[in-house]
Amino acid sequence: MTRRILVTSALPYANGPLHLGHIIETIQTDVWVRAQKMFGHDCRYLCADDAHGTPIMLKAQQEGITPEALIARISASHQADFAEFQIGFDVFHSTHSEENRRMSSDIFQRLEARGLITRKTIKQAYDPEKNMFLPDRFIKGECPKCGAADQYGDNCEQCGATYSPTDLKNPRSVLSGATPVERDSEHFFFDLPQMETQVKQWLSEDRVQPAIRAKLQEWFDSGLQPWDISRDAPYFGFEIPGAPGKFFYVWLDAPIGYIGAFLKLAETIDLDFDTYWGEQSETELIHFIGKDIAYFHTLFWPAMLMGAGLRTPTAVYAHGFLTLNGEKMSKSRGTFIQARTFLNHLDPQALRYYFAAKLSSGIDDIDLSLDDFRLRVNSDLVGKVVNIASRCAGFIHKQFDSQLASELADPSLQEYLVAASVSIRQRYERRETGQAMREIMALADFVNQYIDEKKPWVMAKSPETQSAVQGVCTDGLNAFRILLTYLSPVLPTMSAQAAHFLNLPALDWSELDTPLIGRTINAYEPLMTRVEQQATDALLAETKLEALALAEATKGDGAASSPQADAEPEAQPIDPIAPEITIDQFAAIDLRVARIAQAEHVEGAAKLLRLELDIGGGVMRQVFAGIKSAYKPEDLVGRHTVMVANLKPRQMKFGLSEGMVLAAGGGNGELFILSPDVGATPGMRIK
């Protein structure tokens, strides 16, 4: 039976570029949507930019442009990045749209008519210099619980305490540095406690993962509170009907943006609103989100929909955080990889596959280990799947005029591969893409083993067996078709390229058991190249340069980048410039590109790593570098760096140090070794 499904992923905030945390979520969603479409279901993927809030207003002011101009520019960059990662939205819209304004006002008025909106005068922190009320993340001070300095207005990053901004000791505005004053303001509240019974019933119907349900129980145990849904001017957002100077809080109209995006899609195709959003709708509504915003999507959002007489989500699927090489992505550490930076150096298909191979139906964090990424993509996609096509295509083109055999040499191979379609389909459905990728790669191993056993390269040399080569290679290419069909939700571009190569209109799940025989195929072109370490090194190097540039550009700014994201530490001041030197003094320094051949801990040394550096021509240098706090030895081997080659050797307690590697560092104790661009080789002199 054909299912009708609406699918969303969380809305990226429109005040900055996309990063890989956004990309992992949209890849997970896109893979699921493409699988549903391949299975023949009516599935639509909706998304939009989250375009309201104080951070956007302030960033636009800093740039001297309107918020509308800022979000239009950011939207263009977001959509360009998503397109290169092959994210197949059916519509990508903005929360700052007439459709969303209309729906936000309508839902608010429905809630108000049912007695679910109350008004209350509250005390808020006010910046007397900027003449505006301050969001929690725009206030800093000392934690009222542990006394830690430089903590934000909602929680302490040292002891984990949560509190009101008015509880901070010695508070200051991060916008002006002024001491905030308290002022009264009337706010609108959504009466969430009224909806507790209905929300609990909804959660009991297996709508969320067990770990999320357990976390939500903590909120119920502590008692639900009315939710403040208004903000005071100046604010970039929608003004509340009948309340001049009051605006909807960004988290009210952001999820309503899903409906706004649907309405935009409905302008181009005939979609009935009640069929999709009516209280009795049988359409499935699936949300993919990060676990950090589960609170909004599994308490406030279903409660709002219930209160407004609209349908609730069928399911909300959360995923974990993305880490890089085992650590939290951090702007200050230079490990916060932007989507565009990745695209500058690496094939987006490789990342789609790697994330698919790591994702599960749970909420565990997902680690992007660049070494593992390189090895897995090279082994699985290049060494197993693509290898099948490249091994077989040459024989078909050269010896059989690009014509496949009229029948399979071993039909049991196809039967074995097609039989796996049931479990692979189930794994896609359950979001167990990691298990699906492992099963597909096991099949690829089986196919390669079949080719190895038949040895068409040996058969081709003998007149007695030469004709049998066509059947074996037809088997191989037919198996390749089946494997790429299974991989199509993950690798849509490679799937289309494979279909062209095999002279098919597309790779179709419903045609899995129809053998690929008796047809002419097109010329084979490489479908994927190996991921080289130079490329991943260059990715990290550019990311660290971006972090340094951002720290300098935002020094002293201190404003959080978005209401959803954790704010980063304020930029550290740069070191004072050293005394001037002459060009002759600088020319006397011999800077060379070096490859780190070995790296190891130094017993008894708290800060040192021992490096063996290849500086070309068979020359190796031993260097003791004080970078242990920033790097694991195994992460350095094979990387290129820059060293001072003519520094006088220095006898140390641990051995002779024959040079110095160059690294950048700041007052926060972080270190980044310098790396040359891709293409530099050991021994090159820095000029």
Side-chain angles (χ1 to χ4, degrees), residues 13 50-56 95-97 100 235-238 250 253 563:
Y13 200 56
D50 183 2
H52 288 157
T54 303
I56 286 174
T95 60
H96 190 66
S97 68
N100 202 37
Y235 191 81
F236 183 58
F238 294 143
V250 61
D253 66 65

Side-chain angles (χ1 to χ4, degrees), residues 67 84 198 200 206 236 267 342 344 416 430 443 455 459 471 474 501 532 540 573 583 614 618-619 681:
E84 289 200 43
Q198 295 96 311
K200 281 185 174 180
D206 200 27
F236 183 58
E267 291 179 3
F342 184 95
N344 290 342
Y416 178 77
R430 297 194 295 255
L443 296 176
K455 296 181 173 57
M459 298 168 65
T474 297
F501 158 56
E532 301 295 343
L540 284 180
I583 188 64
D614 174 9
V619 178
T681 58

Side-chain angles (χ1 to χ4, degrees), residues 416-433:
Y416 178 77
L417 298 177
V418 172
S421 65
V422 175
S423 62
I424 292 172
R425 178 170 179 161
Q426 290 173 345
R427 296 188 195 285
Y428 274 127
E429 176 65 39
R430 297 194 295 255
R431 308 176 320 285
E432 297 168 351
T433 52

Side-chain angles (χ1 to χ4, degrees), residues 260-462:
F262 169 85
L263 293 174
K264 183 66 176 178
L265 180 64
E267 291 179 3
T268 59
I269 55 178
D270 186 19
L271 299 176
D272 176 67
F273 183 86
D274 285 339
T275 299
Y276 287 86
W277 293 98
E279 198 167 21
Q280 303 303 316
S281 170
E282 295 182 359
T283 301
E284 296 176 52
L285 175 61
I286 310 294
H287 297 308
F288 285 81
I289 61 167
K291 63 184 179 181
D292 56 327
I293 55 174
Y295 183 63
F296 294 97
H297 281 79
T298 58
L299 283 181
F300 296 143
W301 177 229
M304 285 169 52
L305 291 169
M306 292 172 191
L310 298 173
R311 57 89 40 79
T312 52
T314 307
V316 179
Y317 296 135
H319 60 81
F321 297 128
L322 177 64
T323 60
L324 179 66
N325 293 328
E327 298 181 356
K328 180 181 177 181
M329 289 203 307
S330 166
K331 292 176 184 175
S332 60
R333 293 189 182 95
T335 57
F336 200 81
I337 301 178
Q338 295 183 6
R340 178 54 50 180
T341 308
F342 184 95
L343 292 168
N344 290 342
H345 299 280
L346 292 158
D347 185 345
Q349 291 191 106
L351 192 66
R352 284 182 67 99
Y353 174 75
Y354 186 76
F355 281 162
K358 301 278 280 188
L359 282 161
S360 70
S361 60
I363 63 169
D364 294 334
D365 292 347
I366 303 100
D367 185 53
L368 170 57
S369 164
L370 291 176
D371 286 339
D372 181 53
F373 163 74
R374 185 176 67 253
L375 294 172
R376 183 173 299 201
V377 169
N378 292 343
S379 172
D380 290 359
L381 294 185
V382 181
K384 295 180 182 179
V385 178
V386 171
N387 187 49
I388 296 170
S390 62
R391 297 175 84 181
C392 298
F395 293 108
I396 296 294
H397 289 312
K398 293 176 183 177
Q399 297 190 19
F400 304 100
D401 196 26
S402 300
Q403 184 75 15
L404 298 178
S406 59
E407 61 181 8
L408 297 175
D410 186 355
S412 66
L413 177 62
Q414 170 171 293
E415 293 171 3
Y416 178 77
L417 298 177
V418 172
S421 65
V422 175
S423 62
I424 292 172
R425 178 170 179 161
Q426 290 173 345
R427 296 188 195 285
Y428 274 127
E429 176 65 39
R430 297 194 295 255
R431 308 176 320 285
E432 297 168 351
T433 52
Q435 294 183 25
M437 296 308 102
R438 286 190 286 276
E439 185 169 354
I440 294 167
M441 290 308 138
L443 296 176
D445 284 334
F446 186 82
V447 175
N448 278 295
Q449 182 181 351
Y450 169 82
I451 296 170
D452 288 340
E453 291 173 352
K454 296 296 183 181
K455 296 181 173 57
W457 54 91
V458 175
M459 298 168 65
K461 296 176 182 179
S462 172

Side-chain angles (χ1 to χ4, degrees), residues 587-599:
I589 304 173
D590 188 356
L591 300 177
R592 297 291 179 107
V593 175
R595 183 180 66 86
I596 303 175
Q598 291 187 35

